[in-house]
Amino acid sequence: MNKSIVPLNELVNQFAKLPGIGVKTAQRLAYSILEQPPENAKAFADALINAKEKIHFCKICGALTDSETCYVCDDMLRDRSTICVVEEPRDIYVFEKTREYNGLYHVLHGVISPLDNVGPEKLKIKELMARLGDGTVKEIIMATNPTVEGEATASYISRLVKPMNIKVTRLAYGIPVGSDLEYADEYTLTRAIRGRNEI
Amino acid sequence: MNKSIVPLNELVNQFAKLPGIGVKTAQRLAYSILEQPPENAKAFADALINAKEKIHFCKICGALTDSETCYVCDDMLRDRSTICVVEEPRDIYVFEKTREYNGLYHVLHGVISPLDNVGPEKLKIKELMARLGDGTVKEIIMATNPTVEGEATASYISRLVKPMNIKVTRLAYGIPVGSDLEYADEYTLTRAIRGRNEI
């Protein structure tokens, strides 16, 4: 750290808080900001504030959106009989990139994890159940991560949904176990969607 | 990109502009901002604006500072008979980390590079000459990068300074040729300072 340049250290610290960014990289990023014209720093700052202010969760599925509902829920051409259940909003992006899936989504905003004190009541499971009431939905694809917590969450929801005569499927194990959906490439994920099995 | 979430795309684009950050990493960083409380995004934005507003160049040596002069120039315990000439402000940080060097600095803010249309008049060479007038400075260490442009700049300044009876030295080739000072580790740089040669 530069001992006396407080605003520089402040900026380095902010970059270093980001996931996967160490102190040395944070310094390079901070210096790169200082080398650019002030408008660029302003635009970056505005983008941060704007993103945080304008983006919230879709009131239907919990995806990120800057309107009341997200573009998937709004799209009348999507297949409304299938809901793909994911852990986090960012997982939707990976599915959309495959162009394989044409149904709707539901974001749990977490997984059941007793060690972290996250029980089913903290996830958007009630909201999912509410969407199943009118009989439109025929299939739920459980696309939680292939981790212990993701599996447990998938089983839990499967047990709740099955009595409603809705098919519950799980992504095929094309995804390497113990990994994270965020890092799956389109091809692996395409195969996982095609090979999904009822649970 | 998420087709319709403009503020998210905006933020991803801003991250992707940073050196060494690709689109996929930019997305991860943008999502990590959205997952944090709004105060964090605000603090980050403030740090960007603040750094850009408060940090400018030391009016003596051209280093980064948030006062009129930098902490090296202000430090009366530093050896005022030696000036280390570097290309960019960030290079000073690498020198300071070695704790080997106790003199002053001068930042050129670039190197002579005819291909990029940068002649000597665009660098802070006049300012360096002005610091040499009163006879305090006995040695100039040329610490430009060991690239073609860095070498040319070192020779150019050496030719200007030698008639003034000031010793001009160059960092020893401990530094891998063709590399960049920014990536040198403290040990290599310590050896380079100790083995410096007159040019």
Side-chain angles (χ1 to χ4, degrees):
Chain A
M1 297 281 146
N2 282 276
K3 29 188 164 179
S4 68
I5 315 179
V6 178
L8 178 59
N9 291 345
E10 216 7 75
L11 185 57
V12 171
N13 288 341
Q14 289 294 340
F15 274 118
K17 276 187 200 165
L18 296 169
I21 305 286
V23 174
K24 205 154 187 180
T25 306
Q27 277 169 347
R28 289 187 47 231
L29 300 180
Y31 276 115
S32 84
I33 294 290
L34 293 178
E35 283 163 8
Q36 288 166 27
E39 308 84 78
N40 293 20
K42 181 75 175 61
F44 198 158
D46 288 346
L48 282 162
I49 300 285
N50 248 329
K52 206 55 208 176
E53 269 177 7
K54 297 203 181 140
I55 298 176
H56 43 257
F57 300 133
C58 168
K59 65 171 192 173
I60 300 173
C61 73
L64 296 174
T65 179
D66 55 351
S67 333
E68 212 172 326
T69 50
C70 74
Y71 74 94
V72 175
C73 289
D74 287 345
D75 183 351
M76 284 305 152
L77 295 174
R78 310 267 316 200
D79 169 15
R80 289 175 182 267
S81 70
T82 315
I83 292 182
C84 177
V85 178
V86 294
E87 292 180 18
E88 298 296 342
R90 67 177 84 176
D91 297 331
I92 292 176
Y93 168 73
V94 194
F95 272 88
E96 288 298 285
K97 264 212 317 201
T98 67
R99 295 160 191 265
E100 173 77 18
Y101 181 67
N102 192 40
L104 304 178
Y105 294 99
H106 190 84
V107 184
L108 294 175
H109 291 283
V111 270
I112 298 172
S113 174
L115 286 176
D116 301 319
N117 235 333
V118 181
E121 74 287 351
K122 291 206 179 149
L123 307 178
K124 305 287 178 196
I125 294 178
K126 262 196 326 283
E127 289 79 353
L128 174 62
M129 291 306 148
R131 294 176 71 183
L132 306 180
D134 66 357
T136 318
V137 178
K138 304 291 180 215
E139 180 181 354
I140 298 277
I141 305 176
M142 288 305 310
T144 49
N145 281 313
T147 56
V148 176
E149 293 84 2
E151 292 296 341
T153 309
S155 316
Y156 178 88
I157 292 175
S158 158
R159 278 197 303 273
L160 287 181
V161 172
K162 271 193 174 159
M164 304 170 84
N165 257 328
I166 293 169
K167 191 160 114 185
V168 183
T169 55
R170 181 95 176 100
L171 286 188
Y173 275 107
I175 315 158
V177 176
S179 170
D180 199 284
L181 262 185
E182 198 185 342
Y183 301 105
D185 62 271
E186 297 95 302
Y187 310 104
T188 312
L189 200 54
T190 295
R191 291 193 53 184
I193 295 173
R194 286 190 185 144
R196 66 186 187 266
N197 304 302
E198 194 160 358
I199 45 178
Chain B
M1 296 281 146
N2 282 276
K3 30 190 164 177
S4 68
I5 314 179
V6 178
L8 178 59
N9 290 346
E10 214 10 74
L11 186 57
V12 170
N13 288 341
Q14 289 293 340
F15 274 117
K17 276 187 200 166
L18 296 170
I21 305 288
V23 174
K24 204 154 188 180
T25 305
Q27 276 168 348
R28 290 186 49 231
L29 300 181
Y31 276 116
S32 84
I33 294 290
L34 294 178
E35 283 163 10
Q36 289 165 28
E39 308 85 78
N40 295 20
K42 182 75 174 58
F44 198 159
D46 288 347
L48 282 162
I49 299 287
N50 250 327
K52 206 54 207 175
E53 270 176 7
K54 297 203 180 142
I55 298 177
H56 43 256
F57 300 133
C58 168
K59 65 172 190 171
I60 300 174
C61 73
L64 295 175
T65 179
D66 54 352
S67 333
E68 212 171 324
T69 51
C70 73
Y71 74 95
V72 176
C73 288
D74 287 345
D75 184 352
M76 284 305 152
L77 296 173
R78 311 267 316 203
D79 171 14
R80 288 175 182 267
S81 70
T82 314
I83 291 181
C84 177
V85 177
V86 294
E87 292 180 18
E88 298 296 342
R90 67 177 85 174
D91 297 330
I92 293 177
Y93 168 73
V94 195
F95 273 88
E96 288 299 284
K97 264 211 319 202
T98 67
R99 295 159 192 266
E100 174 76 18
Y101 181 67
N102 192 39
L104 303 178
Y105 294 98
H106 190 84
V107 184
L108 294 175
H109 291 283
V111 270
I112 299 172
S113 175
L115 285 176
D116 302 319
N117 235 332
V118 180
E121 73 289 350
K122 290 206 179 150
L123 308 178
K124 305 288 177 194
I125 295 179
K126 263 196 326 282
E127 289 79 353
L128 175 63
M129 291 305 148
R131 294 177 70 185
L132 305 181
D134 67 356
T136 318
V137 178
K138 304 292 180 213
E139 181 181 354
I140 298 278
I141 304 175
M142 288 305 309
T144 48
N145 281 314
T147 55
V148 176
E149 293 84 3
E151 292 296 341
T153 309
S155 317
Y156 178 87
I157 293 176
S158 159
R159 280 196 302 274
L160 286 181
V161 173
K162 271 192 174 163
M164 304 170 84
N165 257 325
I166 293 169
K167 192 161 112 184
V168 184
T169 56
R170 181 94 175 99
L171 286 187
Y173 273 107
I175 315 158
V177 176
S179 170
D180 199 283
L181 263 184
E182 198 185 340
Y183 300 105
D185 62 272
E186 297 97 301
Y187 310 104
T188 311
L189 200 54
T190 295
R191 290 192 55 184
I193 296 174
R194 286 190 186 144
R196 67 186 187 265
N197 305 302
E198 196 161 355
I199 44 177

